[in-house]
Amino acid sequence: MHREIDTLIITPADMGQIDQAAAASGLASYGLMERAGQAVAATALRRFPGALRFAVLCGPGNNGGDGYVAARALQEAGASVVAHALGETAALKGDAKLAFEAFDGEVAPLATYAPRPGDVVIDALFGAGLSRDVPDEVAKTIEAVRKTVLPVLAVDLPSGVDGRTGQVKGTAFEATATITFMCRKPGHLLLPGKTLAGAVEVFDIGIPVRILARHAHHLRVNTPAIWRVALPVQTDATHKYVRGHLAVFSGPATATGAARLSAMAGIRAGAGLVTLLSPRDALPANAAHLTAVMLKAIDNEADLAALLQDERLKTFVLGPGFGDAGKIRAYAKLLAARDRHLVLDADGISAFRDEPDVLFALFAAGRTRLVLTPHDGEFARLFPDLAADKALSKIERAQKAARRSNGVIILKGADTVIAAPDGRALVNENAPPWLATAGSGDVLAGMVGAHLTQGMPAFEAAASAVWRHGEAGRIAGEGLTAEDLPGAIPPWPVA
């Protein structure tokens, strides 16, 4: 498949516009449905060669039309097929009606489907466009399939999953695999849809890339293709200050480990120098564990102001294990006034929970210099209204937060979203589940800082750090601890 298609994410609403644009360009819409249904049938035969029977469940729209094409193709291939319809087939319209009429098998009501061992269910009921709870009739069918423990091949997206948000509308099929067309939808990448979709296959049914790209709205999967052009350039003239000087603030003597994780990740991720800014009472604890990372005593704003006389020190990580909310706010104000880049993580985010607008005002002017790295709980402290708005997808929450803060948002999780103030958004998919361990976020913050201090723009610095962080988790392997991650950070991708 075309590489551009691989990275695009299309919302269901935009997919509807794409279908209309494809038809307006001269592509026969029924031809697209025919190719989609044939792909479903081929996938079913390939994935489930031992199926005793294929039960094709067809909805009242075009997703159901794909199902009727698949049922016909399976029947022509010699497979045992039963088809069941939601609603009256006499009410079908357009391409779905044509597909139904081309299938010469019996179509029974959905309520009469009785799952039995050996069935493979082809779910062509709703697809990605569902935005309301599934009807009771569908919910009962889903429950019956679940109790019988049958494999499900979903067409476009498991019925019951909202393609825009990934959220479940009442209940949903848990698919073994999903086949979708042209591009993935947000529901394939956002939880819990990501889990319910199983293995996702994307099939090219022939819509031109130019039409897809026109409606993608800067929403992509996070891959090196997105940010490779922004990677730091290494030459024979490169020296440590060209690679950038990163500073990480340490917490007190009893809470120094998080900052050291960030600092070590920073130097492993490419910063030329990393300095740990430590309270004096924490100097012995930090010194006992540091070699390549430098150490500087910083106890107050005056100490920090003196340090900022060095213009080569442009990027700071503040928050991991820091603790002192008042000092965080004071330091952030000083860094913003001195035009520095700031990665605000953990305690740094929580410090502004009572006055988030103060933080946003500090970084409101000029280029983007602020990167925020919240998990869902921390996000709710800075953006309580967005967190509470259940109508928004995770992507939409991150986009709105980025605009409000004039910062890059890394909204963390198994479906991490990276969003920029200008509306660009990426969804990450390469992080293994064992990356969810204490200290993993501290490592990510240091990596973002390292990328920023090497001169990458904030959005690209954040996106590339999230991707390399995921790769580090894969390299370190199951059972990793956060201490393993800095040494597993991979080199920059070159192709």
Side-chain angles (χ1 to χ4, degrees):
M1 181 175 286
H2 192 288
R3 183 171 295 177
E4 176 73 4
I5 294 177
D6 287 339
T7 66
L8 294 175
I9 304 172
I10 303 290
T11 67
D14 288 337
M15 197 67 217
Q17 294 183 1
I18 287 168
D19 289 339
Q20 293 176 13
S25 75
L27 287 172
S29 59
Y30 185 74
L32 298 177
M33 180 174 286
E34 181 72 21
R35 286 192 284 276
Q38 292 285 345
V40 172
T43 302
L45 292 169
R46 171 171 48 81
R47 280 191 170 271
F48 306 103
L52 300 182
R53 184 176 72 160
F54 290 100
V56 186
L57 312 183
C58 299
N62 282 345
N63 197 251
D66 296 341
Y68 290 119
V69 173
R72 188 187 82 236
L74 288 166
Q75 195 173 65
E76 291 172 349
S80 175
V81 177
V82 292
H84 292 266
L86 174 64
E88 296 294 331
T89 56
L92 292 171
K93 298 178 181 179
D95 293 334
K97 180 180 180 181
L98 294 175
F100 166 74
E101 291 173 343
F103 174 60
D104 62 5
E106 180 184 354
V107 179
L110 179 65
T112 66
Y113 172 55
R116 68 189 192 193
D119 279 1
V120 170
V121 174
I122 296 179
D123 165 27
L125 289 169
F126 291 116
L130 184 72
S131 58
R132 66 185 189 282
D133 283 0
V134 297
D136 289 343
E137 184 178 355
V138 173
K140 290 176 182 177
T141 301
I142 291 172
E143 182 58 25
V145 169
R146 184 178 293 124
K147 284 184 177 179
T148 317
V149 196
L150 299 180
V152 175
L153 175 63
V155 180
D156 203 18
L157 204 68
S159 291
V161 174
D162 184 334
R164 181 178 63 86
T165 67
Q167 295 300 306
V168 171
K169 295 298 186 178
T171 188
F173 280 113
E174 184 172 353
T176 305
T178 295
I179 180 168
T180 192
F181 311 107
M182 301 309 303
C183 300
R184 282 176 287 181
K185 317 306 183 294
H188 294 122
L189 295 153
L190 299 177
L191 293 173
K194 176 182 179 179
T195 300
L196 294 171
V200 177
E201 297 187 22
V202 184
F203 187 79
D204 185 347
I205 57 174
I207 298 175
V209 177
R210 58 181 170 78
I211 294 177
L212 295 167
R214 189 184 310 150
H215 294 275
H217 299 304
H218 306 293
L219 181 58
R220 302 285 193 278
V221 177
N222 185 26
T223 69
I226 304 294
W227 35 260
R228 186 178 287 115
V229 294
L231 295 181
V233 177
Q234 307 291 345
T235 71
D236 290 342
T238 297
H239 55 77
K240 59 187 178 184
Y241 283 105
V242 170
R243 294 179 66 190
H245 190 173
L246 173 66
V248 179
F249 288 93
S250 170
T254 56
T256 58
R260 285 199 302 275
L261 284 171
S262 291
M264 284 306 303
I267 204 160
R268 290 282 192 175
L273 303 91
V274 177
T275 297
L276 193 64
L277 307 180
S278 172
R280 282 175 173 78
D281 67 352
L283 287 174
N286 280 318
H289 293 89
L290 297 177
T291 303
V293 174
M294 297 183 293
L295 191 57
K296 176 73 174 177
I298 296 288
D299 274 324
N300 50 48
E301 292 172 73
D303 290 341
L304 179 58
L307 181 70
L308 291 175
Q309 298 300 314
D310 185 349
E311 294 294 334
R312 297 173 298 184
L313 192 54
K314 297 184 181 298
T315 307
F316 293 78
V317 175
L318 176 58
F322 195 83
D324 189 328
K327 193 170 285 187
I328 287 171
R329 292 190 292 269
Y331 285 179
K333 182 177 180 180
L334 186 55
L335 293 169
R338 299 294 181 88
D339 200 34
R340 296 319 204 257
H341 286 94
L342 176 61
V343 181
L344 201 61
D345 181 52
D347 291 345
I349 293 170
S350 299
F352 286 93
R353 65 185 306 163
D354 295 326
E355 45 184 15
D357 290 342
V358 171
L359 171 65
F360 306 153
L362 293 176
F363 292 89
R367 72 191 192 284
T368 302
R369 295 178 290 123
L370 177 66
V371 178
L372 298 168
T373 62
H375 55 59
D376 284 339
E378 291 163 345
F379 183 88
R381 292 166 199 159
L382 289 185
F383 307 98
D385 57 325
L386 300 181
D389 190 343
K390 301 306 180 185
L392 296 176
S393 71
K394 185 171 183 175
I395 294 168
E396 292 162 344
R397 290 198 301 273
Q399 288 172 318
K400 288 178 178 292
R403 282 193 290 271
R404 183 182 298 179
S405 63
N406 193 37
V408 170
I409 302 293
I410 301 175
L411 185 47
K412 296 185 293 193
D415 52 355
T416 293
V417 175
I418 308 101
D422 61 10
R424 288 175 293 165
L426 303 173
V427 182
N428 199 67
E429 64 168 353
N430 74 332
W434 51 84
L435 199 55
T437 186
S440 177
D442 303 321
V443 171
L444 175 61
M447 295 175 67
V448 177
H451 292 187
L452 279 169
T453 206
Q454 291 176 82
M456 295 183 73
F459 180 68
E460 287 79 3
S464 55
V466 170
W467 186 88
R468 288 178 87 192
H469 187 250
E471 290 301 295
R474 291 182 182 275
I475 292 167
E478 191 168 0
L480 66 83
T481 66
E483 291 93 331
D484 300 323
L485 289 172
I489 296 171
W492 289 112
V494 295

